[in-house]
Amino acid sequence: MSAAPRCDQTEAWAALKGHFVAHGRDFDVRDAFARDPGRFAALGVQAPLVYADLSKNLVDTATVHFLLDLARECRLEERRDAMLAGAPVNVTEGRPVLHTALRAPRGQGAHSDDVHGVLDALLGYAEGVRDVARSGFTDIVNIGIGGSDLGPQMVVPALDAYVHRGLRFHFVSNVDGHDISAVLRGLDARSTLFIVASKTFTTQETMANAMAARAWFDAEMARLGAAAGPAGHARHFVGVTTNLKAAAEFGITTTFGFWDWVGGRYSLWSAIGLPIAIAIGSDNFRALLAGAHAMDRHFAEAPLAQNLPVLLGLIDVWYRNFHAFTSRSVAPYHQGLKRLPAYLQQLEMESNGKRVDLEGVTLPFGTSPVVWGEPGTNGQHAYFQMLHQGTDVIPVEFIAVRTPTHGLADQHRKLLANCLAQSQALMLGKSSDAAAAERAPTASTTIDRDVLARHRTFPGNRPSTTLVLDTLTPQALGALIAMYEHRVFTSGALWGINSFDQWGVELGKALCSELLPRLASGDTSGLDASTAGLLKMLAT
Ligand code: F6P
Protein backbone atom coordinates (compact mmCIF):
# COMPACT_ATOMS: atom_id res chain seq x y z
CA MET A 1 0.00 0.00 0.00
CA SER A 2 1.50 3.36 -0.97
CA ALA A 3 1.55 5.85 1.88
CA ALA A 4 -1.86 7.49 2.31
CA PRO A 5 -1.74 11.27 2.70
CA ARG A 6 -1.68 12.80 6.14
CA CYS A 7 -4.78 14.87 6.92
CA ASP A 8 -3.06 18.24 6.49
CA GLN A 9 -1.77 17.28 3.04
CA THR A 10 -5.23 16.91 1.51
CA GLU A 11 -7.55 19.18 -0.40
CA ALA A 12 -10.29 18.42 2.11
CA TRP A 13 -8.11 19.88 4.88
CA ALA A 14 -7.82 23.15 2.97
CA ALA A 15 -11.57 23.09 2.34
CA LEU A 16 -12.20 22.48 6.04
CA LYS A 17 -9.98 25.45 6.91
CA GLY A 18 -12.06 27.68 4.66
CA HIS A 19 -15.28 26.22 6.02
CA PHE A 20 -14.10 26.81 9.58
CA VAL A 21 -13.33 30.47 8.93
CA ALA A 22 -16.59 31.04 7.05
CA HIS A 23 -19.00 28.98 9.16
CA GLY A 24 -17.28 26.86 11.79
CA ARG A 25 -15.74 29.38 14.15
CA ASP A 26 -18.99 31.22 14.83
CA PHE A 27 -21.31 28.26 14.44
CA ASP A 28 -24.16 28.42 16.92
CA VAL A 29 -25.84 25.10 17.59
CA ARG A 30 -28.95 26.86 18.95
CA ASP A 31 -29.45 28.64 15.63
CA ALA A 32 -28.81 25.38 13.80
CA PHE A 33 -31.68 23.71 15.69
CA ALA A 34 -33.92 26.70 14.99
CA ARG A 35 -33.11 26.53 11.27
CA ASP A 36 -33.44 22.79 10.90
CA PRO A 37 -36.27 20.91 12.63
CA GLY A 38 -34.81 17.66 11.32
CA ARG A 39 -31.40 18.21 12.94
CA PHE A 40 -31.84 15.67 15.76
CA ALA A 41 -32.86 12.90 13.34
CA ALA A 42 -30.21 13.85 10.78
CA LEU A 43 -27.40 13.73 13.32
CA GLY A 44 -28.50 10.61 15.17
CA VAL A 45 -26.58 7.42 14.47
CA GLN A 46 -27.70 3.95 15.46
CA ALA A 47 -24.80 1.54 15.65
CA PRO A 48 -25.10 -1.95 17.14
CA LEU A 49 -26.31 -1.53 20.73
CA VAL A 50 -25.18 2.11 20.88
CA TYR A 51 -27.16 5.13 19.73
CA ALA A 52 -25.38 8.47 19.41
CA ASP A 53 -26.97 11.89 19.38
CA LEU A 54 -24.43 14.04 17.57
CA SER A 55 -26.83 16.94 17.08
CA LYS A 56 -25.51 19.03 19.99
CA ASN A 57 -22.09 19.20 18.34
CA LEU A 58 -20.70 22.23 16.50
CA VAL A 59 -21.21 20.68 13.09
CA ASP A 60 -23.67 21.01 10.25
CA THR A 61 -24.17 18.86 7.19
CA ALA A 62 -21.50 20.78 5.30
CA THR A 63 -18.96 20.15 8.09
CA VAL A 64 -19.75 16.46 8.07
CA HIS A 65 -19.52 16.44 4.28
CA PHE A 66 -16.01 17.98 4.32
CA LEU A 67 -14.89 15.67 7.13
CA LEU A 68 -16.06 12.63 5.16
CA ASP A 69 -14.08 13.96 2.18
CA LEU A 70 -11.09 14.14 4.47
CA ALA A 71 -11.58 10.52 5.54
CA ARG A 72 -11.79 9.43 1.92
CA GLU A 73 -8.73 11.42 0.85
CA CYS A 74 -6.75 9.95 3.76
CA ARG A 75 -7.88 6.53 2.55
CA LEU A 76 -9.34 5.69 5.92
CA GLU A 77 -11.20 2.64 4.63
CA GLU A 78 -8.02 1.23 3.07
CA ARG A 79 -6.15 1.76 6.34
CA ARG A 80 -8.99 0.19 8.35
CA ASP A 81 -9.08 -2.81 6.02
CA ALA A 82 -5.31 -3.19 6.29
CA MET A 83 -5.56 -3.32 10.08
CA LEU A 84 -8.45 -5.79 9.99
CA ALA A 85 -6.58 -7.96 7.48
CA GLY A 86 -3.54 -8.22 9.74
CA ALA A 87 -1.10 -5.95 7.88
CA PRO A 88 1.76 -4.77 10.14
CA VAL A 89 0.18 -1.36 10.79
CA ASN A 90 2.12 -1.00 14.04
CA VAL A 91 5.12 -0.04 11.92
CA THR A 92 7.59 0.84 14.66
CA GLU A 93 7.24 -2.60 16.20
CA GLY A 94 6.60 -4.38 12.90
CA ARG A 95 3.42 -5.96 14.21
CA PRO A 96 -0.12 -6.46 13.05
CA VAL A 97 -2.92 -5.14 15.23
CA LEU A 98 -5.54 -7.80 15.56
CA HIS A 99 -7.58 -7.32 18.73
CA THR A 100 -10.64 -7.66 16.48
CA ALA A 101 -9.62 -11.29 15.87
CA LEU A 102 -10.09 -11.96 19.59
CA ARG A 103 -13.83 -11.38 19.30
CA ALA A 104 -14.47 -12.93 15.89
CA PRO A 105 -16.67 -16.03 15.98
CA ARG A 106 -14.93 -19.37 15.77
CA GLY A 107 -13.56 -20.01 12.29
CA GLN A 108 -13.98 -16.41 11.11
CA GLY A 109 -11.09 -14.25 12.28
CA ALA A 110 -7.33 -14.45 11.93
CA HIS A 111 -5.58 -17.01 14.17
CA SER A 112 -8.99 -18.47 14.97
CA ASP A 113 -7.74 -21.84 16.22
CA ASP A 114 -5.27 -20.21 18.59
CA VAL A 115 -7.76 -17.60 19.77
CA HIS A 116 -10.57 -20.04 20.43
CA GLY A 117 -8.26 -22.65 21.89
CA VAL A 118 -7.11 -20.22 24.59
CA LEU A 119 -10.62 -18.81 25.02
CA ASP A 120 -12.14 -22.26 25.62
CA ALA A 121 -9.42 -23.14 28.12
CA LEU A 122 -9.71 -19.76 29.85
CA LEU A 123 -13.48 -20.01 30.20
CA GLY A 124 -13.23 -23.59 31.42
CA TYR A 125 -10.79 -22.46 34.10
CA ALA A 126 -13.02 -19.49 34.98
CA GLU A 127 -16.04 -21.75 35.43
CA GLY A 128 -13.97 -23.96 37.73
CA VAL A 129 -13.11 -20.96 39.92
CA ARG A 130 -16.76 -19.84 39.92
CA ASP A 131 -17.77 -23.20 41.35
CA VAL A 132 -16.85 -21.86 44.78
CA ALA A 133 -18.03 -24.91 46.68
CA ARG A 134 -15.36 -26.88 44.87
CA SER A 135 -12.70 -24.29 44.17
CA GLY A 136 -12.80 -22.84 47.66
CA PHE A 137 -11.97 -19.36 46.33
CA THR A 138 -13.69 -16.29 47.71
CA ASP A 139 -11.30 -13.54 46.60
CA ILE A 140 -9.69 -12.90 43.25
CA VAL A 141 -6.75 -10.48 43.12
CA ASN A 142 -5.70 -9.23 39.69
CA ILE A 143 -2.11 -7.98 39.70
CA GLY A 144 -1.34 -5.98 36.57
CA ILE A 145 -1.00 -2.41 35.37
CA GLY A 146 -2.05 -0.31 32.37
CA GLY A 147 -3.76 -2.51 29.82
CA SER A 148 -3.33 -5.51 32.10
CA ASP A 149 -5.43 -3.79 34.75
CA LEU A 150 -7.66 -1.04 33.43
CA GLY A 151 -9.89 -3.18 31.21
CA PRO A 152 -10.85 -5.76 33.84
CA GLN A 153 -10.97 -3.06 36.50
CA MET A 154 -13.42 -1.10 34.38
CA VAL A 155 -15.57 -4.00 33.16
CA VAL A 156 -16.10 -5.90 36.43
CA PRO A 157 -17.95 -3.06 38.23
CA ALA A 158 -19.69 -2.06 35.00
CA LEU A 159 -21.26 -5.51 34.82
CA ASP A 160 -21.88 -5.76 38.55
CA ALA A 161 -25.40 -7.07 37.92
CA TYR A 162 -23.84 -10.16 36.33
CA VAL A 163 -21.04 -10.71 38.84
CA HIS A 164 -20.87 -13.92 40.92
CA ARG A 165 -22.12 -13.00 44.38
CA GLY A 166 -19.82 -15.48 46.13
CA LEU A 167 -16.64 -13.87 44.87
CA ARG A 168 -14.91 -10.58 45.64
CA PHE A 169 -12.61 -8.91 43.12
CA HIS A 170 -9.55 -6.80 43.91
CA PHE A 171 -7.21 -4.97 41.55
CA VAL A 172 -3.63 -4.17 42.48
CA SER A 173 -1.61 -2.10 40.05
CA ASN A 174 0.56 0.52 41.71
CA VAL A 175 4.15 -0.22 42.71
CA ASP A 176 3.25 1.86 45.75
CA GLY A 177 3.13 -0.78 48.48
CA HIS A 178 0.09 0.92 50.00
CA ASP A 179 -1.94 -0.55 47.14
CA ILE A 180 -1.23 -4.23 47.71
CA SER A 181 -0.94 -3.86 51.51
CA ALA A 182 -4.48 -2.54 51.74
CA VAL A 183 -5.81 -5.40 49.61
CA LEU A 184 -3.90 -8.19 51.39
CA ARG A 185 -4.97 -6.94 54.81
CA GLY A 186 -8.49 -8.22 54.33
CA LEU A 187 -7.71 -11.58 52.71
CA ASP A 188 -7.49 -15.22 53.76
CA ALA A 189 -4.63 -16.84 51.81
CA ARG A 190 -6.45 -20.19 51.77
CA SER A 191 -9.30 -18.82 49.68
CA THR A 192 -7.45 -16.26 47.54
CA LEU A 193 -6.54 -16.61 43.89
CA PHE A 194 -3.89 -14.29 42.45
CA ILE A 195 -3.91 -13.54 38.74
CA VAL A 196 -0.57 -12.17 37.59
CA ALA A 197 -1.41 -10.34 34.38
CA SER A 198 1.39 -8.89 32.27
CA LYS A 199 1.85 -9.02 28.54
CA THR A 200 5.62 -8.89 28.93
CA PHE A 201 5.93 -10.36 32.44
CA THR A 202 8.73 -7.88 33.03
CA THR A 203 6.83 -4.78 34.14
CA GLN A 204 8.42 -3.44 37.33
CA GLU A 205 5.18 -2.73 39.15
CA THR A 206 3.55 -6.06 38.39
CA MET A 207 6.61 -8.12 39.20
CA ALA A 208 7.11 -6.28 42.51
CA ASN A 209 3.48 -6.83 43.47
CA ALA A 210 3.51 -10.46 42.36
CA MET A 211 6.57 -11.12 44.52
CA ALA A 212 4.98 -9.32 47.46
CA ALA A 213 1.83 -11.41 47.00
CA ARG A 214 3.81 -14.64 46.88
CA ALA A 215 5.81 -13.75 50.00
CA TRP A 216 2.59 -12.82 51.84
CA PHE A 217 0.95 -16.03 50.68
CA ASP A 218 3.85 -18.20 51.90
CA ALA A 219 3.95 -16.43 55.27
CA GLU A 220 0.19 -16.61 55.77
CA MET A 221 -0.05 -20.26 54.82
CA ALA A 222 2.78 -21.06 57.23
CA ARG A 223 1.04 -19.07 59.97
CA LEU A 224 -2.20 -20.95 59.31
CA GLY A 225 -0.45 -24.31 59.18
CA ALA A 226 -1.63 -24.82 55.60
CA ALA A 227 0.40 -26.17 52.70
CA ALA A 228 2.13 -23.54 50.54
CA GLY A 229 5.24 -24.32 48.46
CA PRO A 230 5.07 -25.22 44.77
CA ALA A 231 1.67 -26.94 45.12
CA GLY A 232 0.20 -23.90 46.84
CA HIS A 233 1.66 -21.57 44.24
CA ALA A 234 0.29 -23.77 41.47
CA ARG A 235 -3.21 -23.60 42.91
CA HIS A 236 -3.28 -19.98 44.08
CA PHE A 237 -1.35 -18.21 41.29
CA VAL A 238 -2.34 -18.08 37.65
CA GLY A 239 -0.49 -16.20 34.92
CA VAL A 240 -1.74 -14.31 31.90
CA THR A 241 1.05 -13.33 29.52
CA THR A 242 2.70 -13.60 26.14
CA ASN A 243 5.91 -14.52 28.00
CA LEU A 244 5.15 -18.07 29.12
CA LYS A 245 8.79 -18.74 29.98
CA ALA A 246 8.99 -15.90 32.51
CA ALA A 247 5.71 -16.99 34.11
CA ALA A 248 7.08 -20.51 34.51
CA GLU A 249 10.27 -19.13 36.06
CA PHE A 250 8.13 -17.27 38.58
CA GLY A 251 6.69 -20.64 39.61
CA ILE A 252 3.32 -20.31 37.91
CA THR A 253 2.14 -23.54 36.37
CA THR A 254 -1.27 -22.45 35.04
CA THR A 255 -0.80 -19.82 32.36
CA PHE A 256 -3.04 -18.46 29.64
CA GLY A 257 -1.23 -16.94 26.72
CA PHE A 258 -1.91 -14.27 24.17
CA TRP A 259 0.05 -12.78 21.32
CA ASP A 260 2.20 -9.79 20.43
CA TRP A 261 -0.47 -8.63 17.97
CA VAL A 262 -2.67 -7.73 20.94
CA GLY A 263 -1.74 -4.29 22.27
CA GLY A 264 -1.90 -3.90 26.05
CA ARG A 265 -4.69 -1.31 25.93
CA TYR A 266 -6.65 -3.51 23.50
CA SER A 267 -6.25 -6.70 25.50
CA LEU A 268 -9.30 -7.11 27.73
CA TRP A 269 -10.75 -9.44 25.07
CA SER A 270 -7.79 -11.81 25.44
CA ALA A 271 -6.74 -13.90 28.43
CA ILE A 272 -6.22 -10.54 30.19
CA GLY A 273 -10.01 -10.70 30.57
CA LEU A 274 -9.68 -13.64 33.01
CA PRO A 275 -10.99 -11.65 36.03
CA ILE A 276 -13.95 -10.60 33.90
CA ALA A 277 -14.63 -14.18 32.84
CA ILE A 278 -14.48 -15.36 36.46
CA ALA A 279 -16.74 -12.52 37.52
CA ILE A 280 -19.48 -12.83 34.90
CA GLY A 281 -19.10 -16.40 33.63
CA SER A 282 -18.39 -17.82 30.22
CA ASP A 283 -21.74 -17.07 28.54
CA ASN A 284 -21.58 -13.43 29.55
CA PHE A 285 -17.92 -13.18 28.55
CA ARG A 286 -18.84 -14.55 25.13
CA ALA A 287 -21.65 -11.97 24.98
CA LEU A 288 -19.11 -9.21 25.70
CA LEU A 289 -17.03 -10.48 22.77
CA ALA A 290 -20.12 -10.75 20.57
CA GLY A 291 -21.07 -7.13 21.25
CA ALA A 292 -17.58 -5.99 20.33
CA HIS A 293 -17.70 -8.11 17.19
CA ALA A 294 -21.01 -6.52 16.17
CA MET A 295 -19.32 -3.11 16.44
CA ASP A 296 -16.33 -4.43 14.46
CA ARG A 297 -18.70 -5.41 11.64
CA HIS A 298 -20.34 -2.00 11.78
CA PHE A 299 -16.94 -0.30 11.60
CA ALA A 300 -15.86 -2.56 8.74
CA GLU A 301 -19.05 -2.39 6.70
CA ALA A 302 -21.21 0.67 7.41
CA PRO A 303 -20.83 3.51 4.91
CA LEU A 304 -18.63 6.23 6.35
CA ALA A 305 -21.56 8.63 6.68
CA GLN A 306 -23.39 6.22 9.02
CA ASN A 307 -20.33 4.73 10.65
CA LEU A 308 -20.39 5.75 14.31
CA PRO A 309 -16.72 5.29 15.26
CA VAL A 310 -15.73 7.07 12.06
CA LEU A 311 -18.06 10.02 12.67
CA LEU A 312 -16.89 10.38 16.27
CA GLY A 313 -13.24 10.24 15.18
CA LEU A 314 -13.89 12.88 12.53
CA ILE A 315 -15.59 15.20 15.00
CA ASP A 316 -12.59 14.68 17.31
CA VAL A 317 -10.32 15.92 14.51
CA TRP A 318 -12.65 18.86 13.84
CA TYR A 319 -12.53 19.90 17.49
CA ARG A 320 -8.83 19.31 18.03
CA ASN A 321 -7.42 20.79 14.84
CA PHE A 322 -9.91 23.47 13.83
CA HIS A 323 -11.60 24.60 17.05
CA ALA A 324 -8.32 23.91 18.92
CA PHE A 325 -10.13 22.28 21.85
CA THR A 326 -7.52 20.48 23.92
CA SER A 327 -9.59 18.15 26.04
CA ARG A 328 -12.75 16.07 26.13
CA SER A 329 -14.69 15.15 29.22
CA VAL A 330 -16.45 11.80 29.55
CA ALA A 331 -19.46 11.68 31.85
CA PRO A 332 -21.01 8.24 32.16
CA TYR A 333 -24.37 8.52 33.91
CA HIS A 334 -23.98 5.03 35.33
CA GLN A 335 -22.03 4.41 38.50
CA GLY A 336 -20.86 1.05 37.13
CA LEU A 337 -18.88 2.95 34.49
CA LYS A 338 -16.89 4.85 37.11
CA ARG A 339 -13.57 3.57 35.73
CA LEU A 340 -14.47 4.20 32.09
CA PRO A 341 -12.75 7.62 31.97
CA ALA A 342 -9.51 6.08 33.29
CA TYR A 343 -9.80 3.24 30.80
CA LEU A 344 -10.35 5.70 27.95
CA GLN A 345 -7.42 7.80 29.09
CA GLN A 346 -5.08 4.93 28.36
CA LEU A 347 -6.90 3.88 25.21
CA GLU A 348 -6.88 7.31 23.66
CA MET A 349 -3.91 9.12 25.15
CA GLU A 350 -1.43 6.21 24.96
CA SER A 351 -2.62 5.48 21.41
CA ASN A 352 -2.79 8.97 19.98
CA GLY A 353 -0.50 10.98 22.25
CA LYS A 354 2.13 11.14 19.48
CA ARG A 355 4.08 14.03 17.98
CA VAL A 356 5.53 12.52 14.80
CA ASP A 357 3.88 10.86 11.81
CA LEU A 358 4.56 7.37 10.49
CA GLU A 359 7.69 8.67 8.75
CA GLY A 360 8.94 10.24 11.97
CA VAL A 361 8.20 13.77 10.74
CA THR A 362 7.21 16.25 13.46
CA LEU A 363 3.52 17.06 13.19
CA PRO A 364 2.44 20.65 12.65
CA PHE A 365 -0.93 20.07 14.38
CA GLY A 366 -2.30 18.72 17.65
CA THR A 367 -3.14 15.06 18.28
CA SER A 368 -4.74 13.37 21.30
CA PRO A 369 -6.85 15.60 23.50
CA VAL A 370 -6.72 15.16 27.25
CA VAL A 371 -9.49 12.70 28.09
CA TRP A 372 -10.90 12.90 31.59
CA GLY A 373 -14.08 12.65 33.57
CA GLU A 374 -16.13 11.19 36.38
CA PRO A 375 -19.50 9.53 36.53
CA GLY A 376 -22.56 11.75 36.63
CA THR A 377 -24.00 13.11 38.77
CA ASN A 378 -20.82 13.32 40.88
CA GLY A 379 -18.97 15.44 38.33
CA GLN A 380 -21.78 18.00 38.41
CA HIS A 381 -20.86 18.84 42.00
CA ALA A 382 -17.17 19.13 41.21
CA TYR A 383 -15.92 20.40 37.86
CA PHE A 384 -19.06 21.00 35.80
CA GLN A 385 -18.89 24.63 36.93
CA MET A 386 -15.87 25.00 34.67
CA LEU A 387 -17.58 23.22 31.78
CA HIS A 388 -20.48 25.68 31.96
CA GLN A 389 -18.76 28.96 32.77
CA GLY A 390 -15.01 28.44 32.44
CA THR A 391 -12.92 30.10 29.76
CA ASP A 392 -12.23 26.89 27.82
CA VAL A 393 -14.71 25.03 25.69
CA ILE A 394 -14.56 21.33 26.52
CA PRO A 395 -16.74 18.95 24.53
CA VAL A 396 -18.52 16.55 26.86
CA GLU A 397 -19.54 13.00 26.15
CA PHE A 398 -22.59 11.88 28.11
CA ILE A 399 -23.46 8.19 28.39
CA ALA A 400 -27.03 7.40 29.37
CA VAL A 401 -28.45 3.93 30.02
CA ARG A 402 -32.22 3.67 29.63
CA THR A 403 -32.94 0.66 31.85
CA PRO A 404 -31.18 0.19 35.19
CA THR A 405 -30.50 -3.18 36.77
CA HIS A 406 -31.75 -1.99 40.18
CA GLY A 407 -35.34 -1.41 41.21
CA LEU A 408 -35.03 2.26 42.23
CA ALA A 409 -36.97 3.65 39.28
CA ASP A 410 -37.41 7.08 40.78
CA GLN A 411 -33.68 7.51 41.37
CA HIS A 412 -32.98 6.35 37.85
CA ARG A 413 -35.34 8.99 36.46
CA LYS A 414 -33.51 11.60 38.54
CA LEU A 415 -30.19 10.39 37.12
CA LEU A 416 -31.42 10.61 33.52
CA ALA A 417 -33.04 14.01 34.09
CA ASN A 418 -29.70 15.27 35.35
CA CYS A 419 -27.92 13.86 32.32
CA LEU A 420 -30.31 15.54 29.90
CA ALA A 421 -30.27 18.78 31.89
CA GLN A 422 -26.49 19.06 31.69
CA SER A 423 -26.22 18.70 27.91
CA GLN A 424 -29.19 21.05 27.55
CA ALA A 425 -27.63 23.64 29.86
CA LEU A 426 -24.27 23.45 28.09
CA MET A 427 -25.98 24.08 24.78
CA LEU A 428 -28.64 26.60 25.74
CA GLY A 429 -26.72 28.65 28.27
CA LYS A 430 -28.42 31.59 29.94
CA SER A 431 -28.38 35.19 28.72
CA SER A 432 -27.59 38.12 31.04
CA ASP A 433 -31.15 39.35 30.57
CA ALA A 434 -32.56 36.02 31.65
CA ALA A 435 -30.18 35.99 34.61
CA ALA A 436 -31.18 39.55 35.56
CA ALA A 437 -34.87 38.64 35.47
CA GLU A 438 -34.39 35.80 37.97
CA ARG A 439 -34.42 35.83 41.71
CA ALA A 440 -31.17 34.58 43.16
CA PRO A 441 -31.94 33.84 46.82
CA THR A 442 -28.33 33.18 47.85
CA ALA A 443 -26.94 36.32 46.19
CA SER A 444 -25.59 39.25 48.17
CA THR A 445 -28.26 41.87 48.82
CA THR A 446 -25.75 44.64 48.16
CA ILE A 447 -24.28 43.55 44.83
CA ASP A 448 -25.17 45.54 41.73
CA ARG A 449 -27.93 43.80 39.76
CA ASP A 450 -26.09 43.92 36.40
CA VAL A 451 -22.83 42.71 37.89
CA LEU A 452 -24.65 39.79 39.49
CA ALA A 453 -26.38 39.00 36.20
CA ARG A 454 -23.00 38.81 34.47
CA HIS A 455 -21.77 36.30 37.09
CA ARG A 456 -24.90 34.26 36.51
CA THR A 457 -24.71 34.26 32.70
CA PHE A 458 -23.89 31.04 30.81
CA PRO A 459 -22.49 31.45 27.29
CA GLY A 460 -24.02 28.19 26.06
CA ASN A 461 -23.18 26.74 22.63
CA ARG A 462 -20.94 24.25 24.41
CA PRO A 463 -20.88 20.99 22.48
CA SER A 464 -21.72 17.52 23.66
CA THR A 465 -22.46 14.04 22.39
CA THR A 466 -24.92 11.77 24.16
CA LEU A 467 -24.46 8.03 23.79
CA VAL A 468 -27.49 5.93 24.70
CA LEU A 469 -27.51 2.26 25.64
CA ASP A 470 -30.70 0.41 26.35
CA THR A 471 -29.22 -1.66 29.22
CA LEU A 472 -25.64 -2.09 30.33
CA THR A 473 -25.43 -5.72 29.28
CA PRO A 474 -22.16 -7.51 28.49
CA GLN A 475 -23.04 -7.24 24.83
CA ALA A 476 -23.75 -3.50 24.97
CA LEU A 477 -20.57 -2.83 26.95
CA GLY A 478 -18.55 -4.83 24.42
CA ALA A 479 -20.00 -2.76 21.60
CA LEU A 480 -19.34 0.51 23.46
CA ILE A 481 -15.67 -0.30 24.13
CA ALA A 482 -15.07 -1.48 20.56
CA MET A 483 -16.66 1.75 19.34
CA TYR A 484 -14.09 3.73 21.32
CA GLU A 485 -11.24 1.60 19.97
CA HIS A 486 -12.26 2.26 16.37
CA ARG A 487 -12.83 5.93 17.00
CA VAL A 488 -9.26 6.21 18.29
CA PHE A 489 -8.09 4.34 15.18
CA THR A 490 -9.98 6.81 12.98
CA SER A 491 -8.47 10.00 14.39
CA GLY A 492 -5.02 8.34 14.58
CA ALA A 493 -5.23 7.27 10.93
CA LEU A 494 -6.18 10.78 9.80
CA TRP A 495 -3.35 12.27 11.81
CA GLY A 496 -1.03 9.78 10.13
CA ILE A 497 0.42 8.50 13.41
CA ASN A 498 1.11 5.05 14.83
CA SER A 499 -1.69 4.54 17.36
CA PHE A 500 -0.26 1.22 18.49
CA ASP A 501 3.13 1.89 20.03
CA GLN A 502 3.96 3.68 23.29
CA TRP A 503 7.60 4.73 23.27
CA GLY A 504 6.71 7.61 25.56
CA VAL A 505 6.79 5.38 28.61
CA GLU A 506 10.34 4.15 27.93
CA LEU A 507 12.46 7.10 29.04
CA GLY A 508 10.92 7.29 32.51
CA LYS A 509 11.38 3.54 32.95
CA ALA A 510 15.08 3.76 32.03
CA LEU A 511 15.72 6.73 34.31
CA CYS A 512 13.88 4.98 37.13
CA SER A 513 16.25 2.01 36.88
CA GLU A 514 19.16 4.40 37.14
CA LEU A 515 17.73 6.27 40.13
CA LEU A 516 16.60 3.22 42.09
CA PRO A 517 20.04 2.25 43.47
CA ARG A 518 20.82 5.91 44.14
CA LEU A 519 17.80 6.13 46.47
CA ALA A 520 19.47 3.51 48.65
CA SER A 521 23.04 4.82 48.34
CA GLY A 522 22.24 8.54 48.32
CA ASP A 523 24.64 8.99 45.37
CA THR A 524 23.70 12.16 43.47
CA SER A 525 26.80 12.46 41.28
CA GLY A 526 26.10 13.70 37.77
CA LEU A 527 22.42 14.44 38.45
CA ASP A 528 20.73 17.74 37.63
CA ALA A 529 20.43 19.98 40.69
CA SER A 530 16.69 19.55 41.17
CA THR A 531 16.72 15.74 40.96
CA ALA A 532 19.82 15.64 43.21
CA GLY A 533 18.16 17.88 45.80
CA LEU A 534 14.95 15.87 45.84
CA LEU A 535 16.83 12.58 45.96
CA LYS A 536 18.69 13.75 49.06
CA MET A 537 15.36 14.55 50.70
CA LEU A 538 13.81 11.20 49.81
CA ALA A 539 16.73 8.75 50.15
CA THR A 540 16.22 6.22 52.92
O1 F6P B 1 2.71 1.73 30.19
C1 F6P B 1 3.24 1.00 29.15
C2 F6P B 1 2.63 -0.35 29.04
O2 F6P B 1 3.42 -1.08 28.16
C3 F6P B 1 1.19 -0.36 28.58
O3 F6P B 1 1.05 -0.17 27.25
C4 F6P B 1 0.76 -1.69 29.08
O4 F6P B 1 -0.62 -1.80 29.05
C5 F6P B 1 1.36 -1.68 30.46
O5 F6P B 1 2.60 -1.04 30.28
C6 F6P B 1 1.53 -3.02 31.11
O6 F6P B 1 2.42 -3.84 30.42
P1 F6P B 1 2.49 -5.39 30.71
O7 F6P B 1 1.15 -5.96 30.42
O8 F6P B 1 3.55 -5.92 29.81
O9 F6P B 1 2.83 -5.59 32.15
Side-chain angles (χ1 to χ4, degrees), residues 220-251:
E220 280 296 288
M221 292 297 260
R223 188 178 68 79
L224 295 162
H233 295 163
R235 197 175 113 67
H236 290 264
F237 286 81
V238 56
V240 178
T241 185
T242 58
N243 188 350
L244 303 177
K245 191 166 162 278
E249 280 163 16
F250 184 86

Side-chain angles (χ1 to χ4, degrees), residues 30 428-440 449-459:
R30 295 161 291 198
L428 296 180
K430 188 196 289 180
S431 68
S432 306
D433 287 349
E438 285 174 351
R439 261 172 37 79
R449 202 179 142 84
D450 291 338
V451 171
L452 177 63
R454 287 199 289 278
H455 281 277
R456 300 185 63 252
T457 296
F458 291 61

Side-chain angles (χ1 to χ4, degrees), residues 62 136 143 164 187 217 224 249 256 275 287 296 321 349 364 378 421 437 456 512 515 527 532 535:
I143 298 175
H164 193 301
L187 297 181
F217 175 80
L224 295 162
E249 280 163 16
F256 297 98
D296 294 342
N321 301 123
M349 294 165 74
N378 295 1
R456 300 185 63 252
C512 175
L515 289 170
L527 293 180
L535 193 132

Side-chain angles (χ1 to χ4, degrees), residues 145-148 198-200 203 206 264-265 346 350 502 505 509:
I145 197 164
S148 300
S198 175
K199 181 175 169 180
T200 54
T203 304
T206 302
R265 53 195 174 273
Q346 189 199 18
E350 197 171 74
Q502 55 284 321
V505 297
K509 279 188 195 172

